[in-house]
Amino acid sequence: MEKLILIDGNSIIYRAFFAMPPLTNSSGMHTNAVYGFTNMLLRLIQEEQPTHMMVAFDAGKETFRHEGYQEYKGGREKTPPELSEQFPLLKELLDSFGITRFELKGYEADDIIGTVSRQADESGRQVIVVTGDKDMLQLVSDNVKVSLTRKGVSEVEPYGVQEIQERYGLTPAQIVDLKGLMGDTSDNIPGVPGIGEKTALKLLHQFGSVEEVLARTDELKGKQKENLINHAEDARMSKRLATIFREVPLEHLWDDMAFSGLEEEKAAPMLRKLEFKSLIERLSFTAGPNTGEKNANPAHEAEPIHVTVVDEAGIDSLKGKLGEIEVLHVETNGDNPHHADIIGLILSSKDSHYYISSELLKHPAGEPVRQWLADAKAPKKGYDLHRIDLALHWQGIVFEGAAFDIQLAAYLLDPTENNQTLSGLASKYELSFLAPDDEVFGKGAKYKVPDTGVLSLHLAHKAAAAQKIIPLQEQELEKNEMNRLFFELEMPLSRILADMEKQGIAVNREDLQELGKEFETQIRRLVQHIYELAGMEFNINSPKQLGEILFDKLGLPVIKKTKTGYSTDAEVLEKLAPYHDIVQSILEYRQLAKLQSTYVEGLLKEIRPETGKVHTYYRQTIAATGRLSSQYPNLQNIPIRMEEGRKIRKVFVPSEPGWHILAADYSQIELRVLADISGDERLKEAFVNDMDIHTKTASDVFGVPPEQVDSNMRRSAKAVNFGIVYGISDYGLSQNLNITRKEAAKFIDQYFEVFQGVRKYMDDIVKEAKRDGYVTTLLERRRYLPEINASNFNLRSFAERTAMNTPIQGTAADIIKLAMVLMNDVLREHGLKSRMLLQVHDELVFEVPEDELELMTKLVPETMERALSLSVPLKAEVSSGLNWYEAK
DNA sequence: ACGATCACG
DNA sequence: ACGTACGTGATCGTG
């Protein structure tokens, strides 16, 4: 049977462009949209086996639609150049695939497709139209189906007459009436004000068409009636604009569109030029000489796989095989592992996969599996063992013996990779295709666990991918000299973090609520005051409304603009304070509103009723520098700088009566690290003599004795020191100190005159990054900087600052991680009951029984200071009290 | 879903 | 001439 596929070229390439991450080949051509398009083409060809194909493009700026309505498609953003340059590539690719393409001056792709589909339909042929544009649904008939792209272009959703009826309750012909009423902002089609999709559908269900609605407005009432009467002509015009013209003068012959499959000798060179290596392999074309080595793992579609669904009766036979298990996979749902359900579990040996349902896992019959999970001598390899540990913990299941975490390895191998999922790794290592979880489960509100058959198969595929990924990662870790970083630091730390999180930190709910009431009173007072000064009520939380009040109504000077309008951030408000009393009140309101919503209400929501504690989730694979991050709640940004906010810390208390909170933080750890890695003698000397570093810097830079450094000089020096750590720029420093760029440049110059070793380090590290494409920390943690050689000044400068900052921030992160692992051993060796609870980048927080307080006060800073030996001493300062506020 | 804002190191 | 300090997460309003 003959089958024609018609593709809306413009629509698909746009969607592909925005759905795909940026991608360029080695000569710098952008190729992401073409890549997405090609992927979709290959999928379509394979799944639909078309006999005929055609891709239509828009041609020319003006179409016949502009004759009646100049604003048609007005207000559209210009096509980004990164996309424009891909059109010729796409056309060349289509030619190499032997797929006909067509464009006609004055007509849009829609009209060409409309015409060809009508002709094919009339001769009784099957047609599939592929587009991202819902308007095209009007073309549907018994012979014509329209496939709309979903989630970018990776998948399509076919619509026939029945699907449109189910989704909208309309016939295909009524789609234009829908558009006529609701309009379309992307095409600048006005529609009728106040009518969106919901209302439009209701009206069409009642009246059937735009004309009928307009003829019978007397059956409607209120604003809706008024709008329909006043905008009747808009509605008619919108309908006309949305109607696809199906009589384009085409003399296109059916035979021209014939498609008989890809020819390797034509398609392969083009794919090579684009460097679509995985696609070449997917088509089992040979890679060719210019793409280099043969790949050991050619990409196929998903491999067949067998999974044994273990039931109660099957547990016994599984028992004997537990010793052979190489990999486990535990599927959990949700973002917060402290509140996750177990969806299912896979145990994989060399050649078998066993699926265990979450019910069986918790059932008495599941005991052998639980014992295995709890057996520290049974090594576990898998993806995100930290999350698994936490999820199992809250189900009362013990997890021990973590030996290799794929996610953690992926993070070390490339901490900036944003798709560190198993599916993403399978594609990185060019393994057989692994469906992304979103596709299997759906995401957000649409998340749904499929039935056991589909679920067990998907999870088995994930475990199988894990089995293949692990040896590849082991090789790569070895090659990058990251074995110690991985096995001796990050893996042990992962377990320590899980223990800290399970322990949690107690929060005094009543005190927090009391604090909330105090804030509430002050907020109410401020709101009233602000309304009075403004002369009206408005939403102070809305930067838009606030901007209108300050700049339009009160006429204050505009200091700064954002993309979307006036800027009203604290920096701007500070400058406006002298002009009007309202500004100070707004600043105070902002501060209190933040405390109330984020720290009082937000924290209260995170207290677990059963423990009275908050259990944060430290993420070990997020920050590009090697730092941890903290979520649900974030306990690394609890206020401290302002006294009002600092009070929040009073509600963090010991979880046992008579215990204390003890906190210790590294003093100037980043500058000490800089002193070490730069080898700058002057900076080192400052730390060897334990001087006040900002005063010392000021004294050296301004050439005065330390006694003569005033507070202003010290403040400037402090800002310069920060700037140095961040990868300094004169502009950044000038912003921070509120001075001119020239003055800032002079400061920096003077600084580098004095600290010449630091200057040399900054120059060298940037050179190193340009040469290697990455920078490293003292423990060989690595961060790639692909933009370090970019021609775009902004991208390149950013990469250069990152090259300067990452070894400093990253080495500091290495050090406190070492301290945590060491501290864990020290606590055990001394048989202490004290517990490590929190890490805040350069600070560790513990809860300590009274009788251990004295020892811990010595032990903690000592341990932190000996975590790593540098050419300058590390210094940690300790303090304790009855809550976190007092431990300062 | 995304930008603006602001909390921390 | 270019136009920015480094690294995070939570909340709110808005499209």
Side-chain angles (χ1 to χ4, degrees), chain A residues 507-520:
Chain A
V507 171
N508 187 325
R509 173 184 280 275
E510 290 72 36
D511 286 359
L512 187 53
Q513 280 164 334
E514 199 48 50
L515 197 54
K517 279 183 201 151
E518 285 172 33
F519 291 153
E520 187 57 41

Side-chain angles (χ1 to χ4, degrees), chain A residues 257-272:
Chain A
M257 298 188 289
F259 176 77
S260 48
L262 297 188
E263 291 174 50
E264 172 172 353
E265 60 274 24
K266 288 188 188 143
M270 185 62 198
L271 291 173
R272 277 200 289 274

Side-chain angles (χ1 to χ4, degrees), chain A residues 171-242:
Chain A
T171 64
Q174 286 177 303
I175 295 292
V176 290
D177 294 281
L178 181 64
K179 269 288 146 73
L181 292 172
M182 64 185 272
D184 183 342
T185 35
S186 71
D187 284 347
N188 213 22
I189 295 180
V192 178
I195 296 188
E197 182 174 304
K198 288 236 166 102
T199 318
L201 284 173
K202 216 181 76 203
L203 291 170
L204 289 177
H205 294 156
Q206 192 180 344
F207 298 105
S209 71
V210 167
E211 292 73 19
E212 196 61 21
V213 174
L214 297 177
R216 290 162 58 189
T217 45
D218 50 321
E219 294 173 40
L220 296 166
K221 51 185 191 300
K223 195 79 191 159
Q224 194 170 80
K225 176 179 180 180
E226 207 179 294
N227 278 333
L228 278 163
I229 294 171
N230 291 337
H231 295 86
E233 198 38 52
D234 280 343
R236 289 191 198 95
M237 179 187 68
S238 297
K239 178 172 173 178
R240 273 200 306 280
L241 286 172

